[in-house]
Amino acid sequence: NFTCDIHGCSQEGVLDTAEQVRKLNEVACEHFLRQGRLDVARLLVEEGGLVIEQSQYNQFVQLNSILEACRARNLGPALKWVTEHRRDLEARNSQLEFKLHRLQFLSLLQTGDLQAALEYSKNLALYSTTLKKEVQQLMGCFLYTSKGLGQSPYADLLDPVLLGEACDEFMREACALLGLALNSHLAACLSVGCQALPSLLQIKAVMQQRQCPVVWSSTNELPIEIDPGLEYQYHSVFACPILRHQCTLDNPPMRLTCGHVISKEAIERLVTGTRLKCPYCPVEMNSSEPRQIHF
């Protein structure tokens, strides 16, 4: 029952020029670099004639090597990285460094080297105020080392999920500091495309019955709204509470003197002469007083 003909759901001419193909290759190359497929990315650069800065290439090499080490429970490279970027991480209120120290501390406890674990616990003193409860739990683990942490009230600290969460958080923070989105552009496009495709196929069938040749309009807009979810919303969206539709560049949100916000088109409909009354409160103002808001 799989519909393989999706030609009518794509926009014509998106890959007609060499520049468009080059941009697609760059997006694919960045995706392979993020995934650690350095050999594939290097081959794509050579065959596609792309120009990738060595510094950008080295950044992805470093991130992938740290991530692979973390997954192998070698936290040394990640701890070195967070130490070097401590100030930036603190500005983001990140707890990544504590989570890595916690994993390393628990690893030492599990080996039975209590002296090394006690010495390493000095790294946790930085969080004795901000994460007091978590630090107390880690110190309480010393009481159960003879019986085994797996049989203690702190057995949940040994859950393998914590390592996976630390790896995911490392990638999030690293991408944020590099000015990158968590997901590559290629992965985001494929994910959103897969979500939108069923709806597009349905609207395509309807439009074919109405003898409409294409799904895309002349203004590069779809005839239906596709909700990709909060994960793929990269900017704020404002819907006018009066007209109940989303604002655009031609119809931007406007702030009234009373603080309420409506669209420019709504203001034009509410103006009487040169006077404008807020639809939500008794405040009146001159029609020139509202100011455009930039999210």
Side-chain angles (χ1 to χ4, degrees):
N1 296 327
F2 180 73
T3 304
C4 59
D5 181 16
I6 59 174
H7 176 72
C9 297
S10 60
Q11 188 179 18
E12 299 291 340
V14 292
L15 294 175
D16 286 351
T17 67
E19 178 66 13
Q20 291 170 331
V21 173
R22 181 187 64 80
K23 290 181 178 179
L24 176 60
N25 287 335
E26 287 181 348
V27 168
C29 183
E30 181 190 330
H31 176 77
F32 290 129
L33 288 173
R34 283 170 170 258
Q35 298 298 314
R37 301 298 302 275
L38 306 180
D39 52 341
V40 179
R42 191 180 300 110
L43 187 62
L44 182 58
V45 168
E46 294 174 358
E47 295 186 357
L50 305 179
V51 178
I52 302 294
E53 294 183 4
Q54 189 62 36
S55 59
Q56 181 183 9
Y57 179 84
N58 292 339
Q59 286 176 341
F60 284 114
V61 171
Q62 181 192 28
L63 293 184
N64 279 286
S65 63
I66 294 175
L67 195 59
E68 288 301 318
C70 281
R71 288 169 178 165
R73 293 189 173 276
N74 176 15
L75 303 177
L79 286 168
K80 180 181 178 182
W81 185 88
V82 296
T83 301
E84 294 173 352
H85 298 83
R86 178 176 293 165
R87 182 172 298 179
D88 294 328
L89 293 172
E90 288 177 348
R92 291 176 47 79
N93 294 321
S94 172
Q95 296 183 4
L96 176 60
E97 186 174 3
F98 169 75
K99 292 179 180 179
L100 292 174
H101 281 308
R102 179 175 61 184
L103 289 170
Q104 186 71 355
F105 172 77
L106 292 171
S107 178
L108 291 172
L109 275 183
Q110 286 182 284
T111 62
D113 192 345
L114 300 184
Q115 186 60 38
L118 183 61
E119 185 67 23
Y120 191 84
S121 64
K122 295 178 181 179
N123 293 292
L124 303 173
L126 296 172
Y127 312 98
S128 59
T129 302
T130 56
L131 297 171
K132 182 178 180 180
K133 182 178 179 181
E134 288 80 357
V135 173
Q136 288 175 340
Q137 288 178 340
L138 293 175
M139 294 300 99
C141 291
F142 279 110
L143 301 175
Y144 298 91
T145 52
S146 58
K147 297 180 180 179
L149 292 179
Q151 306 300 321
S152 73
Y154 308 115
D156 60 306
L157 294 176
L158 303 180
D159 193 332
V161 172
L162 295 179
L163 177 62
E165 291 177 350
C167 291
D168 292 341
E169 185 166 349
F170 166 76
M171 204 60 188
R172 281 197 302 272
E173 296 297 344
C175 288
L177 295 185
L178 291 175
L180 301 173
L182 177 59
N183 297 315
S184 69
H185 298 306
L186 182 61
C189 289
L190 287 175
S191 179
V192 174
C194 289
Q195 294 180 46
L197 191 56
S199 299
L200 295 180
L201 290 173
Q202 290 179 1
I203 196 67
K204 173 191 172 185
V206 173
M207 297 184 77
Q208 283 179 337
Q209 293 177 355
R210 299 178 180 178
Q211 298 181 345
C212 298
V214 294
V215 175
W216 294 85
S217 70
S218 58
T219 57
N220 294 335
E221 293 181 350
L222 291 171
I224 56 174
E225 183 177 352
I226 302 296
D227 182 14
L230 294 176
E231 181 182 359
Y232 297 106
Q233 289 186 8
Y234 300 104
H235 58 82
S236 300
V237 176
F238 178 80
C240 176
I242 302 299
L243 302 182
R244 300 188 181 281
H245 58 61
Q246 184 175 322
C247 287
T248 63
L249 293 176
D250 296 328
N251 182 32
M254 307 289 289
R255 181 186 182 278
L256 308 183
T257 56
C258 56
H260 292 111
V261 180
I262 59 178
S263 66
K264 181 180 179 181
E265 186 177 336
I267 289 178
E268 293 173 350
R269 296 189 183 187
L270 293 172
V271 167
T272 302
T274 60
R275 302 297 297 172
L276 170 66
K277 180 186 178 299
C278 175
Y280 292 101
C281 67
V283 175
E284 293 188 13
M285 66 208 77
N286 192 286
S287 58
S288 62
E289 291 184 273
R291 293 292 178 263
Q292 181 176 341
I293 288 182
H294 300 273
F295 291 107

